[in-house]
């Protein structure tokens, strides 16, 4: 896992990337938030999709809802970056759509879109 920061629009944003899933349950999501806060003091995070376990994207597990609720509870704004076109279930598409209508969690295609969304909230 690699954590870097970028400054955009007067806002510092942490970008977390890597090639393997590090978030597989609620505790690992809390650990990620704590690590980012400790290392960067950021409350806006870009998270690459590869860092999330596939169970996150299976809404029957309730993992996505539980994890994203923790982000909201701790007032951390997050943009998840990746290709979500492979998720064909209507419920997952609706979940992504609803998140993108809010002000806390976003699912976007690339880092630039993530940064643009995070500096506006």
């Amino acid at each position: 896992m690699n954590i870097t920061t970028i400054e955009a629009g007067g806002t510092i944003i942490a970008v977390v990337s890597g090639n393997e899933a590090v978030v597989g349950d609620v505790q690992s999501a809390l650990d990620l938030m704590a690590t980012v806060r400790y290392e960067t003091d950021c409350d806006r995070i870009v998270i690459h999709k590869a860092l999330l376990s596939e169970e996150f994207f299976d809404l029957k597990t309730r993992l996505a809802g539980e994890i994203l609720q923790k982000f909201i509870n701790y007032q951390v704004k997050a943009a998840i970056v990746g290709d979500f076109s492979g998720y064909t279930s209507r419920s997952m598409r609706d979940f992504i759509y609803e998140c993108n209508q809010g002000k806390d969690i976003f699912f976007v295609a690339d880092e630039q879109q993530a940064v643009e969304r995070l500096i506006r909230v």
Side-chain angles (χ1 to χ4, degrees), residues 26 55-73 92 95 99 105 107:
V26 174
E55 288 80 22
F56 178 90
F57 297 99
D58 179 1
L59 294 182
K60 288 181 265 178
T61 67
R62 298 178 164 219
L63 188 58
E66 291 176 13
I67 287 173
L68 297 184
Q69 188 61 53
K70 294 296 182 191
F71 278 84
I72 292 166
N73 290 350
M92 188 58 179
F95 182 79
C99 286
I105 309 294
F107 290 82

Side-chain angles (χ1 to χ4, degrees), residues 2 12-13 18 24-25 59 65 69 76 104-105 112 117:
N2 184 34
I12 306 248
I13 299 171
D25 57 21
L59 294 182
Q69 188 61 53
V76 174
D104 296 298
I105 309 294
Q112 184 59 38
R117 295 294 298 263

Side-chain angles (χ1 to χ4, degrees), residues 51-105:
L51 297 174
L52 304 172
S53 70
E54 276 304 307
E55 288 80 22
F56 178 90
F57 297 99
D58 179 1
L59 294 182
K60 288 181 265 178
T61 67
R62 298 178 164 219
L63 188 58
E66 291 176 13
I67 287 173
L68 297 184
Q69 188 61 53
K70 294 296 182 191
F71 278 84
I72 292 166
N73 290 350
Y74 288 97
Q75 299 176 5
V76 174
K77 310 289 186 190
I80 301 169
V81 174
D83 178 10
F84 306 103
S85 63
Y87 302 107
T88 58
S89 80
R90 180 161 177 83
S91 58
M92 188 58 179
R93 286 194 322 261
D94 290 347
F95 182 79
I96 289 171
Y97 175 82
E98 290 298 324
C99 286
N100 286 340
Q101 300 309 304
K103 296 180 181 183
D104 296 298
I105 309 294

